[in-house]
Structure formats: structure tokens, C-alpha cells
């Protein structure tokens, strides 16, 4: 099983630059984990005799469990860019959780992992080392998926009643271009701002305002990659009052202005 990604994953910066450098696959999660796991993914590369390649991402509101070189690590929601150097030959297998999906495995507020990448043993103890060893023992993607999902089920406790609500709110932010402010969620769902902020920090690790801005910047990067729109029009469609404000936010997150991105 090796499904090839036809469109770049959300949050991957400069995907065209990586064409031919590495191969990435997205693997659907089992149906019984639909509220917990968004998907699995695998990256393979062989750069022996070539210069290292730096992959940059603008992470979304999700915790990620990663196994690389026989080691397991947990990425909390990272509010800045994340860079990872690919060298020589290797592979990575990852499990990306739904926005609220990691809370039933962590047993405490997910905000404690925000802006942190920690060894898997910090969260799961020696079981993380056993997971990494089992995944390293096979190169078959479907076998790795089964191993990862068995691990998730073994560590899963009863989800909180808020899990489905928070997941649905984040999905709404991602898919509805008209959802541009926290007040939009307040008006639609009758939830107070403080309630929303507490729910998001407990289950996602960041506030709803950050999630709204991050998904809008993901959309901006995708559309700039496609070179399909003028900057002023893009800024307006993303809910910015003016192009200058959009440019500041984009540059702060991506490290380049929208005009320079993708060149």
C-alpha cells in the first residue's frame, strides 16, 4: 500500500521545490478512530551523494506522533514554522491526530505540549520505544498503520463529551471561508468566548483565534503556490481589512512576504 499524494498536504511550504527529492504518502485511518486520528503519513528519501534538503511546514492545530530512525517523538501544536533536514537515506512514519483527538491519550490539557517536541517516552513511557522498534522492523506502510493504530487503541481512554464538538468547530473553521472571527463561532453556536477558549486550549492546545488565522494562512500559501490570485484580492477573501495586514501576518508566520513566497 503506497498511496501517492497528488496535492501537497496542508501546511507544507514550497511543495514544488521538493518534487523528486522525497516521496510522501497519506494513509487513511481506520473508521473506529475517526474522531481520534486524522490520517497517517509516510515520507521516504534517498539523498546519498546529494546535499541535504530542508523541509519546512506551517503546522496546523494537531498533535503528531512521529517515528524516525527507531525513535518516537510527539509534536504538540507548533505555532511557528517547523524545519526538518533530510539527509542521506531514510524514512519517517507519522500519525496526525484530529484537533481534539490526542486529549484522550494524554489525560491532561493538550496546551501542555504546545510549542514542544518531546520524546515519546515523556508521554507514553517505555511503550513508545516498543512502538518505534515495531515500526522500524517493517517497511510495509499498511503494517505500520496497523501497528500505530493498535498503539493508539491501547492508550485510548474514554473521550470527553467535548471531543466531537471541538473537532466539528475546527472543521467548520477549516472548511467555511466565511468563518473569519471567533465571534462568528459565538454567534453560530451560542457559546461564550471564554468557553470556546477553554475548550480549545484543553483539547487542541491553542485558542480559536489562532486556529482561524492558521487555516487562513494555509489557504493563502496553497493559493500562492498555484499563483492563481492577486494579493489584494486574496487578502480581502481571507478577511483582512487591507493587504498590508495580511502581508505582516503571512511574513511573520512563513518568514517571507506573500510577494516573495514560491519564487
Amino acid at each position: 500500500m503506497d498511496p501517492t499524494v497528488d496535492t501537497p498536504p496542508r501546511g507544507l511550504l514550497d511543495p514544488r521545490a521538493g518534487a523528486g527529492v522525497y516521496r510522501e504518502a497519506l494513509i487513511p485511518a481506520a473508521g473506529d478512530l475517526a474522531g481520534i486520528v486524522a490520517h497517517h503519513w509516510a515520507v521516504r528519501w534517498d539523498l546519498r551523494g546529494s546535499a541535504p534538503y530542508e523541509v519546512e511546514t506551517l503546522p496546523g492545530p494537531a498533535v503528531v506522533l512521529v517515528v524516525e530512525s527507531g525513535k518516537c517523538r510527539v509534536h504538540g501544536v507548533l505555532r511557528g514554522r517547523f524545519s526538518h533536514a533530510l539527509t542521506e537515506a531514510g524514512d519517517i512514519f507519522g500519525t496526525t491526530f484530529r484537533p481534539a483527538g490526542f486529549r484522550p491519550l494524554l489525560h491532561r490539557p493538550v496546551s501542555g505540549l504546545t510549542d514542544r517536541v518531546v520524546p515519546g517516552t515523556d508521554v507514553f513511557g517505555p511503550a513508545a520505544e516498543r512502538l518505534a522498534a515495531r515500526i522500524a522492523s517493517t517497511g510495509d506502510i499498511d503494517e505500520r498503520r496497523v501497528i500505530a493504530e493498535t498503539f493508539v487503541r491501547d492508550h485510548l481512554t474514554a473521550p470527553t463529551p467535548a471531543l466531537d464538538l471541538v473537532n466539528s468547530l475546527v472543521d467548520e473553521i477549516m472548511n467555511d471561508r466565511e468563518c473569519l472571527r471567533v465571534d462568528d463561532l459565538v454567534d453560530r453556536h451560542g457559546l461564550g468566548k471564554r468557553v470556546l477558549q477553554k475548550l480549545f486550549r484543553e483539547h487542541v492546545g491553542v485558542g480559536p483565534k489562532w486556529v482561524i488565522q492558521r487555516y487562513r494562512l494555509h489557504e493563502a500559501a496553497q493559493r500562492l503556490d498555484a499563483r492563481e490570485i492577486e494579493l489584494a484580492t486574496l487578502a480581502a477573501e481571507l478577511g483582512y481589512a487591507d493587504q498590508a495586514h495580511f502581508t505582516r501576518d503571512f511574513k511573520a508566520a512563513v518568514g517571507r512576504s506573500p510577494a516573495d513566497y514560491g519564487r
Side-chain angles (χ1 to χ4, degrees):
M1 179 178 180
D2 188 14
T4 302
V5 174
D6 294 321
T7 57
R10 181 182 287 267
L12 178 64
L13 300 178
D14 288 334
R16 287 174 294 164
V21 177
Y22 58 88
R23 181 177 177 84
E24 184 163 10
L26 292 182
I27 305 100
D32 67 301
L33 294 176
I36 304 297
V37 174
H39 56 262
H40 310 278
W41 49 273
V43 177
R44 291 192 175 103
W45 67 92
D46 189 343
L47 296 175
R48 288 173 290 191
S50 302
Y53 180 79
E54 196 86 8
V55 177
E56 279 196 322
T57 61
L58 197 61
V63 174
V64 184
L65 182 66
V66 175
V67 173
E68 180 180 10
S69 302
K71 301 290 185 181
C72 175
R73 61 182 186 264
V74 176
H75 294 227
V77 176
L78 305 178
R79 290 177 289 190
R81 293 190 309 282
F82 178 74
S83 299
H84 188 71
L86 306 182
T87 61
E88 296 298 323
D91 69 86
I92 303 173
F93 185 87
T95 297
T96 297
F97 288 82
R98 296 277 283 127
F102 199 70
R103 177 65 176 81
L105 284 81
L106 187 62
H107 318 310
R108 58 182 184 271
V110 181
S111 56
L113 289 174
T114 301
D115 290 328
R116 299 177 64 203
V117 178
V118 301
T121 51
D122 284 9
V123 178
F124 299 110
E129 296 178 338
R130 295 192 290 272
L131 168 68
R134 291 196 65 197
I135 286 181
S137 70
T138 178
D140 183 85
I141 289 180
D142 199 46
E143 288 182 16
R144 288 181 165 190
R145 177 191 62 80
V146 171
I147 292 167
E149 292 183 346
T150 300
F151 180 86
V152 170
R153 293 187 187 97
D154 287 346
H155 290 84
L156 188 62
T157 58
T160 68
L163 181 139
D164 288 339
L165 171 62
V166 175
N167 279 339
S168 67
L169 290 171
V170 177
D171 286 346
E172 184 175 337
I173 293 169
M174 179 175 66
N175 296 313
D176 186 352
R177 192 181 286 176
E178 300 300 316
C179 186
L180 300 173
R181 302 172 303 137
V182 178
D183 284 340
D184 294 330
L185 293 176
V186 171
D187 294 342
R188 294 176 184 184
H189 299 280
L191 297 169
K193 277 189 177 181
R194 289 187 179 180
V195 172
L196 280 171
Q197 289 166 352
K198 183 177 180 180
L199 282 171
F200 272 63
R201 294 190 184 282
E202 168 91 9
H203 295 272
V204 185
V206 289
K209 181 178 179 180
W210 184 91
V211 175
I212 290 170
Q213 183 190 54
R214 180 51 50 97
Y215 276 142
R216 299 292 82 83
L217 292 177
H218 279 179
E219 181 179 351
Q222 288 177 321
R223 297 178 73 180
L224 290 169
D225 279 322
R227 298 174 179 173
E228 64 178 31
I229 194 167
E230 295 294 328
L231 293 182
T233 302
L234 179 58
E237 290 185 359
L238 295 178
Y240 283 91
D242 53 61
Q243 184 178 329
H245 187 187
F246 165 59
T247 296
R248 286 195 300 271
D249 280 359
F250 189 91
K251 187 173 183 179
V254 177
R256 285 161 284 169
S257 70
D260 290 335
Y261 179 75
R263 287 184 178 178

